[in-house]
Amino acid sequence: MKIALPLQFSFIATLVVLLISSNISGGYGQCLGDQKALLLKFKNSLTFDSSLSTKLVRWDQNTDCCQWPGVSCDQEGHVLVLELDNETISGGVENSSSLFDLMYLEKLNLAYNDLKSVQIPTEIYKLTNLIYLNLSDAGFVGQIPMELSRLTKLVSLDLSYNNLRIDIHGSNSTSSLFPQLEVLKLVSCELQNFPDLKNQSHMSELDLSDNNIKGKIPSWIWSVGNGGLKYLNLSCNLLESLEKPYNISTTLRVIDLHSNSKLTGQIPTSICNLHQLQLLDMSNNSINNRIPPCLFQKIHHLRVLNLGRNKLSGLIPDTFPRNCNLEILSLNNNMLEGKVSRSLNRCAYLEVFDIGNNKIRDTFPCMLKKLFNLHVLVLRSNMFYGNLKCPIANQTWPRLQIIDLASNNFNGYLLPQYFSNLEKMMPSSKFPEPEYLRVEVFNYGKYYLDRVTVVLKGREIEIVKLLAIFTSIDFSCNNFQGEIPEVLGDLKLLYLLNLSHNALTGRIPQALGKLTQLESLDLSVNQLSGRIPDELVGLTFLSFLNLSFNQLSGRIPRGNQFQTFSADSFEGNTGLCDFPLKKTCSDIKVNELSQPSSHSEHEIDGKYISFALGSSVCFGIVTWLLLYSQRYNELVDRLLFRILGQHKKSGRNKNKRRSR
């Protein structure tokens, strides 16, 4: 009997799948007995919290060890990978000989554990096949062992967030401390000096950030990796200057020198030759002089430029290229002057533009309206002037989530069209966003999380990781006038609204009660009048409110968050009453009934005074004309004769009618 052809194909396909799955079950072969025994012995030597463990707790004698979580094997059943990060391990690693008998191990990850201040075991050298070693944030202390240099196959080493030290005064040079690596991370290891890496010929990624390294940045650092260095992070140290000459490697894609507060000097023009550079962060330093014009003109791949919080002066170069790829440009807290570069509108991918706290004197930069991807616009504390009207039609900022124009000289009315197109602040926003505002730089999955300073709840704070859902409008400390537009009520995803210290008039719009996500509302120091809308009581997330120094009147609404605000939120409004103020509304009513308001008295007195004054002036003029003007007397005589003559005639006519 012949089997149907489709059934044959089905049988063969099923057989192939079974063979493949048995060969690479989970991608690996079946565990060898000695490997399982070593792993179980290693587990038994460890101290960890079984209630929080997700890997070790599932290692079981009756199952294939190559299927255990955190374990991977080759096809012969040798353990190649051991990933026990975040397993609450608090001890036992330093005394476990079985770990170092896993001679085939290529990758070991013990990061994010809580070892109780133990040294890195010197037996680590036995793992001669190790390619990847991650011991970051695991609780290791003490000197980095020289035995690491014997791991000749090691490519990536991460010892970050441990309390380690390097003995630069010992008999062995630190140049022989590490094998030839491609990646070295020593973040936050309490290092006092640069390790000697001059002989590292393969290194492409070096991270020495968040240490206590002092002095000059050595000129040899730019030659690490024989000109193949791509990533260099020396941020958050105590560095003071750059040692000359600046033979900066042209292969660099990331240079991060931020937060070395004593770092002085000027930006080297040789950086302009780094045609592959994607990120340059020199913020929070003492860099001075001008921004080199070539920095914008030549680096076409630059995506992140942060020079904020320095001592830079002069103009912002108007040299942005037509193929500009910038996504983040932060020049805040410097001494920059002049106008906003008009060529900036060529940077179509720009997401963050921050030039706050400078000396820029310009009108509102309308050309930025063309930047469809803009998320953050900060112009605060400059010398901008004029209104916000732009001649550009049908241009919107659909993704704008932070706009900060505070502390300038802007004026004019707050027109509805300024806010009606801010789609990112509306529930109907059609732009899905990641959790944080970030830019992917470098090809190894690294992200630059931007920092933005905002005034939140009356205090200036720096948001280090900017949530993509955080939204804010700050127009405070300007000269805006007129009423608050009702359209603001459509921005239901708004977190912060600050219109304080302006010349706004009219009532507080009831529509603000629709801002259900609002956490901070500041309308203080304006000329707002009328009652506080009861709708504001529905803002249950509101944790900061300032309506002080306006002309508001009536009872302060009660309920929800309003019960938590102090009298400071309402001071300077003489017409307001009830909690939390000491003045009760009944007191105001009694006073109003017992005596007329001073405003009414002044009004009545003013009317009587005006009438008396006008009558006196009129009487004086008429008297003078009668006494001294012959022509005026003749005119009056004729007028009287006419009136009296007509009166006599009308009298005669009446008599005639009666006689008839």
Side-chain angles (χ1 to χ4, degrees), residues 7 66 99 185 208 384 429 604 641:
L7 193 58
C66 292
L99 171 63
K185 298 179 183 180
L208 302 177
F384 284 96
S429 176
I604 295 167
F641 177 77

Side-chain angles (χ1 to χ4, degrees), residues 39-166:
L39 289 175
L40 288 173
K41 186 177 179 182
F42 174 53
K43 174 189 175 181
N44 292 332
S45 69
L46 297 177
T47 304
F48 64 95
D49 189 340
S50 58
S51 65
L52 299 175
S53 169
T54 59
K55 299 172 185 177
L56 288 169
V57 74
R58 294 169 60 189
W59 288 12
D60 183 78
Q61 174 72 44
N62 300 319
T63 56
D64 184 355
C65 72
C66 292
Q67 302 299 314
W68 291 350
V71 179
S72 300
C73 306
D74 61 13
Q75 291 186 352
E76 285 76 32
H78 302 117
V79 175
L80 299 182
V81 177
L82 197 55
E83 298 213 48
L84 296 177
D85 54 306
N86 204 21
E87 276 295 288
T88 68
I89 300 172
S90 57
V93 173
E94 67 279 13
N95 299 318
S96 178
S97 59
S98 55
L99 171 63
F100 306 110
D101 288 336
L102 294 168
M103 63 181 64
Y104 295 95
L105 202 62
E106 295 179 358
K107 180 177 182 179
L108 175 61
N109 185 356
L110 297 176
Y112 309 114
N113 281 293
D114 191 23
L115 298 170
K116 304 301 182 183
S117 301
V118 300
Q119 292 191 332
I120 298 174
T122 55
E123 292 88 352
I124 195 87
Y125 76 91
K126 294 181 180 179
L127 302 175
T128 54
N129 287 302
L130 213 56
I131 297 173
Y132 175 95
L133 177 60
N134 188 352
L135 303 179
S136 64
D137 201 10
F140 289 106
V141 299
Q143 188 169 321
I144 298 175
M146 292 295 298
E147 283 77 8
L148 284 176
S149 62
R150 298 168 66 176
L151 300 176
T152 56
K153 294 183 180 180
L154 197 64
V155 170
S156 178
L157 174 62
D158 190 350
L159 302 178
S160 301
Y161 303 103
N162 290 293
N163 191 359
L164 301 173
R165 67 177 187 274
I166 297 174

Side-chain angles (χ1 to χ4, degrees), residues 468-486:
I469 61 171
F470 181 83
T471 54
S472 129
I473 295 175
D474 192 343
F475 285 12
S476 62
C477 301
N478 282 284
N479 298 308
F480 292 115
Q481 62 192 72
E483 298 186 353
I484 299 173
E486 293 274 348

